[in-house]
Amino acid sequence: MSTNKVVATNREAYYHYHIVETHECGIALTGTEVKSIREGRCNLKDSYGQIRNGEAWLFNAHISPYSHGNRDNHEPTRIRKLLLHKAEITRLAGKAQEKGLTLVPTKMYFKKWSRQSRAGCRQRQEAL
């Protein structure tokens, strides 16, 4: 039995793009973001990843504010850090420099007690 609880998928990424390879990475989140994700209130539709200054970042991932949060609730579309090994970041940065390749999250899930995301290098499919 799998211990992964999938909370969000980016089906549009599979439809519009050809996923070349995938990597599993953690996400640095605040407490209210974790609670909101456990309620299933997140969306990966327009999100993407970038490598900046040797660190991986997730942009435009929408995590709704926690319903029981107070004034210290999180910003829904803030920039979040992706947790990867340095060698993986270097390799992804090289892939991102290739023509037509970019990083896109395809799935967000809980693995045991930690938050994980599966990101992939994508390439735009040719229009038929």
Side-chain angles (χ1 to χ4, degrees), residues 19-121:
I19 306 298
V20 178
E21 62 183 59
T22 60
H23 297 274
E24 185 177 67
C25 55
I27 307 175
L29 298 172
T30 63
T32 56
E33 287 174 326
V34 175
K35 291 176 182 181
S36 184
I37 289 173
R38 285 200 187 273
E39 289 180 348
R41 301 183 58 185
C42 59
N43 186 358
L44 299 175
K45 185 177 179 182
D46 295 325
S47 58
Y48 62 95
Q50 282 187 349
I51 308 294
R52 291 187 179 173
N53 300 326
E55 295 179 331
W57 299 94
L58 180 64
F59 295 88
N60 289 343
H62 187 275
I63 299 174
S64 297
Y66 182 53
S67 58
H68 301 295
N70 56 13
R71 65 177 181 221
D72 295 326
N73 225 341
H74 63 275
E75 178 73 27
T77 57
R78 76 177 184 90
I79 300 169
R80 296 166 178 91
K81 186 174 183 177
L82 296 175
L83 308 173
L84 290 162
H85 291 285
K86 193 67 168 179
E88 290 177 314
I89 292 173
T90 305
R91 200 168 95 214
L92 284 175
K95 290 280 186 184
Q97 293 298 323
E98 289 182 19
K99 184 179 179 185
L101 292 181
T102 187
L103 302 173
V104 62
T106 55
K107 241 182 235 187
M108 186 180 290
Y109 54 92
F110 286 94
K111 186 175 182 179
K112 295 184 182 175
W113 55 270
S114 63
R115 290 109 22 217
Q116 302 288 324
S117 176
R118 184 164 298 275
C121 293

Side-chain angles (χ1 to χ4, degrees), residues 4 9 11 14 23 59 78 95-96 126:
N4 297 347
T9 57
R11 291 183 289 167
Y14 289 106
H23 297 274
F59 295 88
R78 76 177 184 90
K95 290 280 186 184
E126 296 298 320

